[in-house]
């Protein structure tokens, strides 16, 4: 029989199939890149976008409204009623970070271990809403200090936890825009919170014999608790166990992330939360990210004093709160556009750092003139600087993609350590330095210079790592990486060799 006969070709195919059996007995997913696969992924992402993003944005809006309610209540008698000195007021602001910063690391480690993050995050939202409501009944410095210390613990679960949860569903080319929408909740909360507070402070004074600043906490805390209860069923869990996602879509979600990094997004045997923490603290890039984030948040710490800054323009309390809204509305828009472009281009450094340079220009304007128009314009530049911070944890997530246990710990470390900058910032914007706050702006300017330098170092570091990947692509895998590649092959219904070819395309973003 001729060597090219159909019988021999068929036998060769059978032998090849036996040598490389299909990893999945179930119906395979549509091939990656096919029209059917693209349509299925779009449907899944749209379902997530429509349900998850509005929920976390609402939570984040209330997160910062609750946290910064003290700054708006200050404008209507909180300091006088509780007999707070300027130093005591600054301690009240900063004490939150004493619990908020360190609690983020164990919280995110626990989130990677907990199978129902929707219940965990929702419960924390309800608890901090309750604690915020109790702020309205405090009668002394000690009382409000205890409240602020306690509220930092449940609040620590949300932002790093939400970023980690998004990273379990979205690819690195989708994550920046979704994270920016999440962070847009913070930015718009500065506008919406100021408008809400203006209405409460203007209309609730003396109602039921209660001061208007106390009504701020009662009303805003109650709204937060309501949102937290609904978050328990609106938020997803993980791609392996979310109840409102079909089994086929759960498998597709896992396969998408496996395609994105060439490895399944799951911990290997032995990748415990503690091991993830140990891997994180041993990676020097983590600490550069953390110090950069600390300097960044010190440079952006004016956010906690923004109503005070607009009040220095010389208008009434209500007008000052209304003037605080437009800069944050613009900031929200630019933040989302910046992240959309970052997803399209894969850029990180310039999409983060360029906005800090705008803040620095704003500081220079405020230092150079007392003209109200120029100073108000500078506040727009300052507010837009938060578009850079929205990219920080996104860059962290794409720089440390696997294993999830390590990624969860790193996000907690970078955001937790970084918020020490907010703690320092609470003492940077002293009332005695007002109304110009020149010393505060100089300190913030220097902090943003430091964060820019560290960001540039990270960019060059990642470029070097990519060159190393170019050189070492054919090196052997360790057992943990091999297991994740095998899982990626299983999810896609392809061979291990095919999965390895896809893995070779992975590069870090900078």
């Amino acid at each position: 029989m001729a060597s090219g006969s159909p019988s021999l070709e068929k036998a060769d195919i059978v032998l090849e199939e036996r040598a490389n059996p299909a990893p999945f007995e179930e119906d395979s997913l549509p091939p990656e890149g096919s029209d059917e696969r693209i349509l299925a992924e779009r449907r899944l992402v749209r379902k997530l976008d429509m349900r998850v993003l509005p929920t976390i944005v609402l939570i984040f809006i209330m997160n910062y409204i609750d946290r910064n309610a003290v700054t708006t209540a200050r404008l209507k008698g909180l300091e006088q009623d509780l007999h707070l000195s300027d130093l005591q007021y600054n301690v009240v602001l900063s004490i939150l970070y004493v619990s908020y910063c360190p609690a983020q690391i164990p919280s995110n480690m626990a989130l990677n271990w907990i199978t129902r993050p929707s219940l965990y995050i929702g419960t924390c939202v309800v608890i901090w809403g309750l604690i915020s409501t109790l702020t309205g009944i405090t009668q002394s410095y000690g009382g409000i200090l205890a409240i602020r210390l306690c509220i930092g613990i449940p609040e620590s679960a949300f932002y790093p936890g939400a970023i980690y949860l998004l990273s379990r569903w979205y690819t690195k080319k989708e994550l920046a825009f979704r994270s920016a929408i999440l962070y847009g909740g913070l930015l718009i909360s500065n506008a919406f919170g100021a408008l809400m507070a203006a209405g409460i402070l203007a209309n609730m004074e003396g109602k039921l014999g209660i001061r208007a600043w106390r009504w701020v906490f009662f009303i805003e805390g109650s709204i937060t608790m309501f949102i937290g209860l609904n978050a328990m069923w609106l938020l997803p869990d993980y791609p392996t166990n979310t109840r409102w996602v079909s089994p086929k879509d759960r498998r597709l979600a896992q396969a998408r992330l496996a395609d994105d990094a060439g490895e399944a997004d799951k911990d290997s045997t032995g990748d415990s939360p503690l091991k993830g923490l140990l891997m994180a603290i041993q990676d020097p890039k983590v600490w550069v990210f953390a110090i950069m984030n600390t300097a960044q948040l010190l440079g952006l710490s004016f956010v906690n004093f923004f109503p005070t800054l607009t009040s220095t323009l010389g208008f009434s309390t209500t007008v000052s709160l209304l003037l605080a809204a437009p800069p944050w509305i613009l900031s929200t828009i630019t933040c989302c556009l910046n992240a959309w472009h970052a997803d399209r281009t894969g850029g990180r450094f310039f999409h983060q750092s360029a906005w800090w340079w705008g803040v620095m220009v704003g500081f220079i304007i405020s230092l150079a003139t007392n003209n109200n128009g120029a100073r108000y314009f500078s506040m727009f530049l300052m507010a837009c600087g938060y578009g850079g911070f929205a990219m920080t944890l996104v860059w962290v997530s794409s720089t440390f993609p696997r294993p999830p246990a390590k990624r969860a710990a790193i996000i907690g470390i970078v955001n937790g350590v970084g918020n020490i900058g907010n703690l320092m910032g609470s003492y940077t914007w002293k009332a005695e330095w007002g109304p110009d706050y020149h010393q505060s702006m100089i300190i913030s300017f220097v902090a943003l210079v430091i964060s820019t330098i560290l960001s540039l170092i990270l960019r060059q570091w990642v470029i070097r790592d990519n060159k190393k990947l170019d050189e070492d692509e054919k090196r052997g895998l360790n057992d943990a990486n091999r297991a994740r590649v095998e899982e990626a092959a299983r999810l896609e219904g392809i061979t291990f060799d095919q999965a390895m070819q896809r893995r070779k395309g992975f590069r870090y973003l900078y």
Side-chain angles (χ1 to χ4, degrees), residues 160-201:
I163 293 292
Y164 176 69
L165 186 60
L166 290 179
S167 76
R168 295 294 300 264
W169 286 94
Y170 292 101
T171 67
K172 64 177 181 286
K173 287 298 184 71
E174 299 166 345
L175 187 59
F177 183 61
R178 273 74 186 183
S179 299
I181 291 176
L182 162 63
Y183 201 72
L186 178 151
L187 300 177
I188 204 67
S189 74
N190 287 287
F192 182 66
L195 295 174
M196 182 189 297
I200 297 171
L201 293 177

Side-chain angles (χ1 to χ4, degrees), residues 120-408:
Y120 177 70
I121 292 176
T123 300
C124 288
V125 175
V126 172
I127 293 172
W128 94 54
L130 175 61
I131 296 173
S132 180
T133 304
L134 293 176
T135 311
I137 66 172
T138 54
Q139 301 294 330
S140 65
Y141 171 61
I144 195 170
L145 204 63
I147 288 289
R148 294 283 292 179
L149 181 64
C150 291
I151 201 172
I153 298 174
E155 280 198 4
S156 68
F158 180 63
Y159 182 58
I163 293 292
Y164 176 69
L165 186 60
L166 290 179
S167 76
R168 295 294 300 264
W169 286 94
Y170 292 101
T171 67
K172 64 177 181 286
K173 287 298 184 71
E174 299 166 345
L175 187 59
F177 183 61
R178 273 74 186 183
S179 299
I181 291 176
L182 162 63
Y183 201 72
L186 178 151
L187 300 177
I188 204 67
S189 74
N190 287 287
F192 182 66
L195 295 174
M196 182 189 297
I200 297 171
L201 293 177
N203 298 297
M204 296 299 291
E205 181 65 40
K207 298 292 184 182
L208 302 179
I210 299 172
R211 292 296 307 273
W213 70 262
R214 297 185 185 275
W215 280 112
V216 169
F217 295 103
F218 293 154
I219 293 172
E220 294 176 355
S222 299
I223 294 172
T224 299
M225 287 189 284
F226 175 77
I227 293 173
L229 289 171
N230 284 279
M232 295 180 187
W233 60 271
L234 285 170
L235 288 177
D237 293 312
Y238 294 124
T240 55
N241 66 336
T242 297
R243 298 178 181 181
W244 47 265
V245 176
S246 68
K248 184 176 181 179
D249 280 347
R250 289 203 296 266
R251 183 179 162 200
L252 176 62
Q254 295 172 71
R256 277 168 22 91
L257 295 181
D259 294 338
D260 191 44
E263 300 177 3
D265 191 29
K266 64 181 292 185
D267 293 315
S268 302
T269 304
D271 282 344
S272 65
L274 180 58
K275 185 178 179 182
L277 176 62
L278 292 175
M279 287 189 286
I281 62 179
Q282 292 169 3
D283 193 322
K285 280 201 295 290
V286 173
W287 298 107
V288 179
F289 266 114
I291 296 169
M292 180 201 73
N293 199 26
T294 302
Q296 171 188 202
L297 287 175
L298 174 57
L300 301 176
S301 59
F302 58 81
V303 65
N304 295 321
F305 299 87
F306 210 77
T308 302
L309 292 178
T310 56
S311 70
T312 64
L313 298 175
F315 299 99
S316 67
T317 298
T318 301
V319 172
S320 295
L321 288 170
L322 294 176
L323 287 173
W328 294 111
I329 294 172
L330 176 64
S331 179
T332 304
I333 295 169
T334 57
C335 177
C336 292
L337 290 175
N338 177 59
W340 174 82
H341 189 261
D343 274 345
R344 300 276 291 186
T345 62
R348 291 296 183 261
F349 168 75
F350 288 108
H351 290 83
Q352 173 182 254
S353 303
W355 297 102
W356 302 340
W357 307 337
V359 177
M360 294 159 72
V361 172
F363 289 151
I364 292 171
I365 292 173
S366 290
L367 289 168
T369 181
N370 287 322
N371 178 271
N372 274 356
R375 289 172 61 208
Y376 189 51
F377 172 73
S378 74
M379 293 179 192
F380 280 84
L381 294 177
M382 291 160 65
C384 287
Y386 266 85
F389 177 68
M391 295 299 302
T392 301
L393 291 190
V394 174
W395 195 6
V396 169
S397 184
S398 62
T399 304
F400 307 99
R402 302 292 185 270
K406 179 182 178 181
R407 184 170 80 240

Side-chain angles (χ1 to χ4, degrees), residues 12 47 49 86-87 155 164 172 201 222 263 388 410 433 468 500:
D12 289 340
K47 180 187 293 186
D49 287 346
D86 183 47
L87 176 60
E155 280 198 4
Y164 176 69
K172 64 177 181 286
L201 293 177
S222 299
E263 300 177 3
I410 290 173
W433 288 348
K468 188 176 179 181
M500 278 297 299

Side-chain angles (χ1 to χ4, degrees), residues 429-464:
W429 298 83
K430 298 179 180 180
E432 63 194 69
W433 288 348
D436 298 326
Y437 292 101
H438 285 177
Q439 298 95 322
S440 308
M441 292 180 185
I442 292 171
I443 293 171
S444 299
F445 185 97
V446 172
L448 291 178
V449 170
I450 294 171
S451 60
T452 298
I453 293 171
L454 293 175
S455 184
L456 181 60
I457 291 172
L458 284 166
R459 180 179 187 269
Q460 297 308 119
W461 202 334
V462 170
I463 290 173
R464 190 197 68 176

